[in-house]
Each structure stands twice: as structure tokens, then as C-alpha cells.
Amino acid sequence: MARLDGTLRELTVYRMRRATSDVLSVVKDALEPFGLRRQTFSALSVICDHPGIRQSQLADTLAIERPNLVQVIGDLENRGLLMREQVPEDRRMYSLHVTNAGAITYRQAMRTLRKVDKTLTAGLTSDEVAALNRALHLIELNAAGETADGSQLSRS
Amino acid sequence: MARLDGTLRELTVYRMRRATSDVLSVVKDALEPFGLRRQTFSALSVICDHPGIRQSQLADTLAIERPNLVQVIGDLENRGLLMREQVPEDRRMYSLHVTNAGAITYRQAMRTLRKVDKTLTAGLTSDEVAALNRALHLIELNAAGETADGSQLSRS
DNA sequence: TATTGTTATACTCTATAACTATA
DNA sequence: TATAGTTATAGAGTATAACAATA
């Protein structure tokens, strides 16, 4: 039987939502054995690469609202994967560092996610994956530009 | 300043999530003047193309759980965009049809979303968009395959 | 005054169990 | 017994306002 959502599939935005929805489900399952959720994994990754980063910088990087980052950081801290240190020069801030356990967990989880990435893009050449990544990046920039200003589209 | 999430951006799954998140925000804003949400628009589209479709078929088509479709259908019915008729042969079922108002609203919304699609893929050639759509479809199939069975990836 | 991190809160989206009415 | 639609509910993910501590 032919697809009943054929017209919708003419829209790239619909295809993105459908594909991403399934992909995030796979990612969630892949991270579950590590006790990580997508956001805790992403935070761990950025903190590993940038020791001493502040929560507000992390929030900006991951496009997460500051209040929503609180529980992510708290989760990682409770699991002993992360440490917070008050910054002496400005005691409003906390600098974030991963623990040894955090670094190990991150490396294992990242290795698993790279495999997931391979699995999900199986059937595409490396050039096609590169083209896909470029296209996604361009769309992300276009979309961010649309939401930033008072876009005409939302005014009928 | 360089990206702080450079490592994460090596993962296509991360790029998909970031791009799709922004895209869905733009789509939401674009549908708002029509009083539609993403799901009500999608439902309207499928019902327009397939008059008489049943709710369970619609749920399968859009990959929405049956309970979650109830409010979507109710919303469209309350707005007078949709009608439900009990099927005489099997009175458990309702066949769905759009009203004239529903057809008009759908056409206008779809026209707007096609423009949104163009805006978001601006900078890509039509060949590149076609390649993107194919890649997204392949990934969707790969991901659906992973979630269906007891995937080995979730076992460390 | 402005900013960092926090709390409280609410809204959307999604997922599951259990019910009803039909078959 | 099985299925279509429904209800109730709970869990994520995300968004805003307001607060305390600090600058």
C-alpha cells in the first residue's frame, strides 16, 4: 500500500521531524545503559572538551534554558561524573569539571554513539553523510535566523 | 570563538536534533495564524488526501499513539474543519472527512509551509534537497529498524 | 542595576494501562 | 476474545517569571 502521508513527505520539515523522532528514540536506548540521557550526555561532552566552563556558557552552547540545565548538572553531580567549583573571582559562578569516572563514562558513551551514527547512516557514502551534515547545518542557521527576528511568516 | 560543541557536531544525530528543534519552532510559528499545531496540520493533510480514513489508520500513518490522536481530532472537529461519521458496517469506527472550511484552511497552511520549506532549505540546490530527503528517509528506515527489534546497541 | 544560578510552574509532546462499545 | 475509540495519567522536554547571592 502506498504511503498515506505522501503529500506531507514533500516537505523536508516533515521528513526531518519523522526521521529525528525515530533517531532520538534509538539514541535514548543507546545511552540508557550508561545512565545518561541525551542532555546529560551532551553536557558531559562539552564539559570534557572545555574543563572549567560555566553553566551559562554550557546552556548557550547546547541551546538549553538555564533553569533546565540545573537538573542536568545536578544529575551528573549526583552520579559522581561531574564536579562544581565556585569561581573565586566571581562567586556567582561555578566552573564545571568532569571526574575520572565522568571521563570514562563519556568515552564509552561517545564510542557507542559513533557506532549508532554509523548504523543510522548505513547506506550512505561518507560524501553523502558530509553533504547531509552540511545541509542540516545550513537549515539550522536558516531556521535560527527565522526565529530570531519578528518573522513575517507568523503574521498571516 | 569556535563552537564549544564541536565534538558533538561530529555526530549526525546531534545535528539532526539541533536543526529539527529550530525547524519545528519555525513551523509552529508559521501554523499559528491558522490556529493549527503541527499535529492538527498533519492530520488535516492526510484526511484531505484520504477522505473516509479511520482514526487508527491515521494514527499509524502519522506515528501517533491512538490516545494522543483523540485531542487532535477533537480540536479539528471543534474548529469545524473536520467531520466524523460512524461507519454503518462497523459501529466502532468513525470515518473522517474534512469540511469545506477544513479544505480551505489546509490549502492555505500547506502553501505557507511550502514557503517555509523553501526558506529553510535556501542555499541548497534542488538536487541537494532531493539528496537530503533521500538521506532522511534512509535514516528513518534505519532508525525504525533499530527500535523495532531488541537492538544490541542498548547492551553496552 | 545587571548577572549567575536557582525555584516554581506550566505547557507541549509522548507513552501506557484500562475502560466502553462494539464485533 | 479481539478491536476502535476513549479516558486518565505520567513522564519527558521545554519555556517564563521571580528570587537570592553577588557583582
Side-chain angles (χ1 to χ4, degrees):
Chain A
M1 183 173 72
R3 278 238 144 63
L4 298 185
D5 59 350
T7 304
L8 286 174
R9 284 186 182 274
E10 295 171 13
L11 298 172
T12 296
V13 294
Y14 178 77
R15 287 180 181 266
M16 286 179 71
R17 189 214 158 269
R18 289 297 300 263
T20 302
S21 173
D22 290 346
V23 159
L24 292 186
S25 174
V26 174
V27 169
K28 178 180 181 170
D29 291 348
L31 289 176
E32 197 255 3
F34 301 101
L36 296 174
R37 291 173 296 126
R38 283 189 293 109
Q39 292 158 312
T40 50
F41 168 78
S42 298
L44 203 53
S45 173
V46 175
I47 299 165
C48 266
D49 284 352
H50 305 282
I53 191 175
R54 314 295 149 72
Q55 280 186 215
S56 54
Q57 291 179 288
L58 182 59
D60 288 347
T61 299
L62 297 176
I64 296 176
E65 295 299 320
R66 269 62 81 213
N68 296 331
L69 196 57
V70 173
Q71 68 175 2
V72 173
I73 296 300
D75 187 1
L76 289 171
E77 198 176 18
N78 290 340
R79 290 170 187 271
L81 305 179
L82 180 117
M83 281 176 53
R84 300 196 300 168
E85 287 176 24
Q86 210 165 26
V87 178
E89 302 85 44
D90 188 336
R91 288 167 52 219
R92 289 174 300 185
M93 298 178 177
Y94 291 89
S95 68
L96 305 174
H97 305 264
V98 297
T99 62
N100 284 340
I104 291 169
T105 298
Y106 167 61
R107 273 196 295 272
Q108 293 176 337
M110 181 49 112
R111 202 174 309 135
T112 297
L113 279 201
R114 288 194 202 275
K115 284 184 209 158
V116 169
D117 227 52
K118 285 279 184 195
T119 304
L120 294 178
T121 56
L124 297 175
T125 66
S126 59
D127 280 354
E128 285 171 331
V129 173
L132 169 62
N133 286 344
R134 280 197 305 274
L136 289 172
H137 190 228
L138 180 66
I139 290 172
E140 183 182 336
L141 293 177
N142 286 342
E146 285 299 311
T147 37
D149 55 34
S151 72
Q152 289 85 344
L153 285 166
S154 58
R155 315 195 171 280
S156 105
Chain B
M1 185 172 74
R3 278 236 143 67
L4 298 186
D5 60 350
T7 304
L8 286 174
R9 284 186 181 276
E10 294 171 12
L11 298 171
T12 296
V13 293
Y14 179 77
R15 287 180 182 268
M16 286 180 71
R17 188 212 158 271
R18 288 297 299 263
T20 302
S21 173
D22 289 345
V23 160
L24 293 186
S25 174
V26 173
V27 169
K28 177 181 181 172
D29 291 348
L31 289 176
E32 197 255 3
F34 300 101
L36 296 174
R37 291 173 297 123
R38 283 189 293 111
Q39 291 158 311
T40 49
F41 168 78
S42 298
L44 202 53
S45 172
V46 174
I47 299 164
C48 265
D49 285 352
H50 306 280
I53 191 174
R54 314 295 149 74
Q55 281 187 213
S56 54
Q57 290 178 289
L58 182 58
D60 288 346
T61 299
L62 297 176
I64 295 176
E65 295 299 321
R66 270 62 81 215
N68 296 330
L69 196 57
V70 173
Q71 67 175 5
V72 172
I73 297 300
D75 186 1
L76 288 170
E77 199 176 19
N78 289 340
R79 290 171 187 274
L81 305 179
L82 182 114
M83 280 176 54
R84 300 196 301 168
E85 287 176 23
Q86 211 165 29
V87 177
E89 301 84 45
D90 187 337
R91 288 167 53 223
R92 291 173 300 184
M93 297 178 179
Y94 291 89
S95 67
L96 305 174
H97 305 263
V98 297
T99 61
N100 285 340
I104 291 169
T105 298
Y106 167 62
R107 272 197 295 272
Q108 292 176 338
M110 182 49 114
R111 202 174 309 134
T112 297
L113 278 201
R114 288 193 203 275
K115 284 185 210 157
V116 169
D117 227 51
K118 285 278 184 199
T119 304
L120 294 178
T121 56
L124 297 174
T125 67
S126 59
D127 280 354
E128 285 171 330
V129 172
L132 169 63
N133 287 344
R134 279 197 305 274
L136 288 172
H137 190 229
L138 181 66
I139 290 172
E140 183 182 336
L141 293 178
N142 286 341
E146 285 299 311
T147 37
D149 54 34
S151 74
Q152 289 85 345
L153 286 167
S154 59
R155 313 192 171 281
S156 104

